[in-house]
Amino acid sequence: MEENNSTLFYGSWGWAEFDSNRTEILNDYELAKTRDSSRPVRTNHGNILESSILKWFNTYLPSKYAATSGYIAPNNYDLDYQILHYDVIIYLRNEAPILWVEADKDEIKTRAIPAEYVVAVIEVKSTFTHTSIKEAIVKLHELDVYKNDLHKHFFTSIIFAELLEKDTNKTKMIYDLFEANNLNNFWKGLILKNNIEDNIPCLFTFTPCENDVDIITDSLVKKISSLDIYLDKVGNLKIAGNGAGASLTKIKDKSWAVNKEFQVLYARNKCLLTYIWSRKQFLVFSIELINRLNGNNTIDSENPRYGRVFDSLEVRNT
């Protein structure tokens, strides 16, 4: 295990190097925000965010996949069809013909991909807000017209760059996010950081459940370091406070590592939305993305063993 100087967290081999991918995306985004700040129309940081995420996907994903912004060509004769642009299209690199390529003034290329080779579409948004959630869901609903043409493993996702501090108490945005459950093959989504503890990402996903669950917290995020999660004097894990949680990873026999979590849960109509901030979420999203692209919905919680990051726990004599 590699130690972090702060002693607040530590990780398995390569954890800091792997997380630097998220850092590079956010650094590009923050620089673009700074340059955008004095412009009358501030859109460049969103374009840079999209470009940086595409660059990471094309470095990270196995070579049989590629990512591009661009268009999806349906497999039909509908003469009234409109060609629509999408932020991130992940497609089968070795099989898909590229119907055409366009380049903007910055030489950023967009491509047109036949629908049958498209495995995923990801909408990219700068901030996690009421408006951006609604816009992302509306955009992904446009894909309903392709539902009979897309690859058999097809799914959708949303990536947000950040949750701003001024929005952290707007818990009703969870109700907006819940509408993503009505999308065709929505998988899960990611928020790369929040503005009160920016090295913590969030993952949100949907699972079946039996009972309704109401939101019991008054905040969309809390500092992981402030959560009341600790070990008592005999080594028992203790968790207290609304939204506090933990996940465990088996390191070896009788030895477990812990990830502190801040959770918001909401369930209606036998569907549970889990919205969880934790140090591990960028790695979880990245590994599960490849599994999902390959059509595998089952996750081995103990693999891979590289790149893992865990929280150190305080021991209290109580």
Side-chain angles (χ1 to χ4, degrees):
M1 294 292 178
E2 299 177 17
E3 293 293 333
N4 181 270
N5 290 334
S6 70
T7 71
L8 292 176
F9 51 96
Y10 62 99
S12 59
W13 186 90
W15 72 269
E17 291 83 354
F18 187 85
D19 195 59
S20 69
N21 292 296
R22 183 179 66 93
T23 302
E24 287 180 12
I25 292 169
L26 289 170
N27 285 346
D28 289 346
Y29 169 73
E30 291 296 335
L31 179 59
K33 273 204 317 182
T34 299
R35 290 173 174 170
D36 253 2
S37 60
S38 60
R39 297 177 182 178
V41 180
R42 301 173 184 176
T43 59
N44 187 54
H45 62 285
N47 296 334
I48 295 298
L49 174 66
E50 178 186 313
S51 178
S52 189
I53 289 172
L54 284 168
K55 178 182 175 182
W56 171 61
F57 279 150
N58 282 315
T59 301
Y60 168 70
L61 292 176
S63 61
K64 65 180 177 178
Y65 300 112
T68 186
S69 65
Y71 311 95
I72 299 173
N75 187 27
N76 62 52
Y77 294 112
D78 186 353
L79 300 182
D80 295 326
Y81 176 78
Q82 290 185 333
I83 296 177
L84 302 172
H85 181 274
Y86 295 94
D87 293 340
V88 176
I89 299 169
I90 300 178
Y91 63 96
L92 299 175
R93 182 200 301 265
N94 299 328
E95 299 179 32
I98 308 301
L99 300 182
W100 69 83
V101 178
E102 298 175 359
D104 64 14
K105 61 182 177 60
D106 297 316
E107 296 301 313
I108 296 175
K109 293 182 178 181
T110 61
R111 297 168 177 83
I113 311 295
E116 63 193 283
Y117 302 102
V118 175
V119 190
V121 168
I122 301 174
E123 188 69 5
V124 176
K125 291 293 182 183
S126 298
T127 53
F128 185 83
T129 65
H130 169 83
T131 299
S132 65
I133 295 168
K134 293 279 190 180
E135 288 176 348
I137 292 172
V138 168
K139 185 65 180 178
L140 292 177
H141 265 305
E142 294 175 354
L143 291 160
D144 292 347
V145 299
Y146 303 107
K147 62 184 179 182
N148 296 321
D149 300 329
L150 295 158
H151 191 272
K152 63 182 180 180
H153 297 158
F154 177 78
F155 63 93
T156 60
S157 179
I158 307 171
I159 296 177
F160 300 90
E162 61 183 335
L163 171 65
L164 300 174
E165 187 170 0
K166 68 182 181 65
D167 294 322
T168 57
N169 64 343
K170 297 179 181 178
T171 55
K172 288 186 178 180
M173 288 198 291
I174 293 297
Y175 304 144
D176 301 326
L177 192 60
F178 192 78
E179 294 303 311
N181 180 56
N182 296 319
L183 289 166
N184 179 35
N185 293 325
F186 184 80
W187 171 55
K188 60 184 58 180
L190 181 69
I191 308 173
L192 291 169
K193 72 166 187 171
N194 64 76
N195 284 173
I196 66 170
E197 195 172 25
D198 64 7
N199 62 341
I200 308 293
C202 174
L203 202 58
F204 54 89
T205 189
F206 296 93
T207 54
C209 70
E210 290 299 321
N211 301 313
D212 289 351
V213 177
D214 288 318
I215 299 171
I216 60 172
T217 178
D218 59 357
S219 178
L220 288 173
V221 65
K222 292 181 181 178
K223 285 187 176 182
I224 294 296
S225 56
S226 72
L227 297 177
D228 198 13
I229 302 171
Y230 61 95
L231 297 175
D232 66 17
K233 61 183 178 181
V234 295
N236 295 317
L237 180 64
K238 298 293 182 179
I239 302 172
N242 287 344
S247 61
L248 304 177
T249 301
K250 189 175 182 180
I251 303 301
K252 53 186 177 181
D253 287 344
K254 299 181 180 180
S255 178
W256 297 80
V258 176
N259 281 108
K260 295 180 181 179
E261 299 178 345
F262 177 73
Q263 309 172 347
V264 180
L265 309 179
Y266 177 71
R268 286 293 183 272
N269 302 319
K270 296 189 176 181
C271 179
L272 173 67
L273 167 62
T274 59
Y275 163 101
I276 300 176
W277 296 91
S278 176
R279 298 188 198 281
K280 70 175 184 176
Q281 300 295 51
F282 181 70
L283 175 71
V284 171
F285 178 89
S286 304
I287 297 302
E288 292 185 4
L289 174 64
I290 294 176
N291 287 334
R292 187 66 179 80
L293 288 168
N294 291 335
N296 180 10
N297 288 320
T298 60
I299 305 300
D300 182 349
S301 62
E302 295 185 11
N303 286 305
R305 301 194 177 195
Y306 60 82
R308 296 274 182 168
V309 58
F310 307 107
D311 290 284
S312 299
L313 296 179
E314 176 189 0
V315 178
R316 299 181 188 173
N317 293 320
T318 56

